[in-house]
């Protein structure tokens, strides 16, 4: 039996990272709308169609340049631990601000999924996201979800499955390895 894949869930504070973690694992990690709410890594189990994953909910951080103890924990995990993939959760209502962390993580791990959360709030504000353009521009898959309502979770799991398969084949260009299959 193949060992569980390790998948980090990274994000700026207050974008629904822990809510997504709970949706994927069935756990009930305490969630809160304030910076520094998650101050340690939480681990949980989840299944994609083809893999068993250990998900690691790391503390929220704005950058890999740590300025607080929780950001140090996030940075140290992302830089030092072996992860098979990273799900970077962003807020659809302020996507541009959240992309800095995504770009930094891409420099250390090519197996990244951009998970755009709060799509319901973006819709209320008249904000639309072109996921194909976003994915093409970044060279990684981008998916929209509403973690609180568990919308888009199955699409995220199928996308994670493809990224993990590409990582297992040691291929870093998602579009050339998975999008054309």
């Amino acid at each position: 039996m193949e060992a569980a894949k390790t998948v980090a869930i990274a994000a700026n504070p207050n974008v629904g990272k822990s809510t997504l973690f709970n949706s994927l694992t069935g756990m009930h990690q305490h969630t809160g709308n304030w910076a520094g709410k998650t101050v340690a890594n939480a681990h949980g189990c989840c299944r994609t169609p083809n893999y068993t994953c250990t998900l690691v909910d790391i503390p929220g951080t704005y950058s890999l340049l740590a300025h607080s103890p929780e950001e140090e924990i996030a940075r140290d995990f992302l830089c030092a631990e072996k992860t098979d993939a990273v799900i970077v959760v962003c807020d659809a209502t302020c996507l541009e601000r959240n992309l800095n962390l995504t770009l930094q993580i891409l420099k250390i791990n090519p197996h990244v999924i951009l998970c755009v959360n709060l799509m319901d709030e973006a819709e209320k504000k008249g904000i639309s996201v072109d996921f194909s353009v976003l994915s093409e521009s970044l060279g990684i898959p981008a998916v929209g979800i509403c973690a609180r309502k568990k919308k888009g979770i199955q699409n995220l799991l199928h996308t994670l499955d493809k990224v993990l398969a590409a990582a297992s084949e040691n291929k870093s260009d998602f579009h050339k390895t998975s999008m054309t299959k």
Side-chain angles (χ1 to χ4, degrees):
M1 178 176 224
E2 188 175 344
K5 302 292 185 181
T6 301
V7 178
I9 302 179
N12 291 173
N14 304 320
V15 299
K17 176 182 52 64
S18 295
T19 301
L20 174 62
F21 176 82
N22 288 339
S23 292
L24 293 171
T25 63
M27 295 177 67
H28 301 287
Q29 287 291 102
H30 180 67
T31 60
N33 188 22
W34 62 90
K37 194 284 308 166
T38 303
V39 294
N41 297 334
H43 295 74
C45 185
C46 131
R47 289 236 2 115
T48 70
N50 295 311
Y51 297 98
T52 298
C53 301
T54 299
L55 296 183
V56 183
D57 180 12
I58 62 175
T61 183
Y62 292 104
S63 166
L64 295 181
L65 304 171
H67 298 291
S68 66
E70 55 271 11
E71 285 186 325
E72 286 179 19
I73 292 167
R75 179 210 52 215
D76 291 349
F77 185 85
L78 289 167
C79 292
E81 298 296 323
K82 166 73 175 95
T83 57
D84 297 289
V86 180
I87 298 170
V88 181
V89 183
C90 292
D91 179 344
T93 66
C94 54
L95 189 55
E96 186 176 336
R97 178 179 62 186
N98 293 192
L99 290 178
N100 181 49
L101 180 63
T102 305
L103 296 172
Q104 289 178 4
I105 292 172
L106 272 170
K107 289 182 179 181
I108 59 174
N109 188 331
H111 307 290
V112 173
I113 298 169
L114 180 63
C115 179
V116 182
N117 190 25
L118 301 168
M119 290 302 298
D120 56 335
E121 295 299 319
E123 186 177 318
K124 287 178 190 173
K125 293 180 178 185
I127 299 170
S128 64
V129 178
D130 187 331
F131 290 98
S132 60
V133 169
L134 190 57
S135 180
E136 187 67 35
S137 297
L138 295 172
I140 59 173
V143 298
I145 68 163
C146 178
R148 183 180 56 235
K149 297 177 182 176
K150 299 185 179 184
K151 290 184 177 178
I153 298 297
Q154 289 306 311
N155 184 34
L156 175 61
L157 289 172
H158 284 284
T159 303
L160 178 57
D161 208 43
K162 291 177 183 178
V163 169
L164 290 172
S168 293
E169 296 173 15
N170 201 25
K171 296 179 180 174
S172 62
D173 190 339
F174 178 82
H175 286 289
K176 291 181 182 168
T177 60
S178 297
M179 294 297 273
T180 58
K181 290 183 181 177

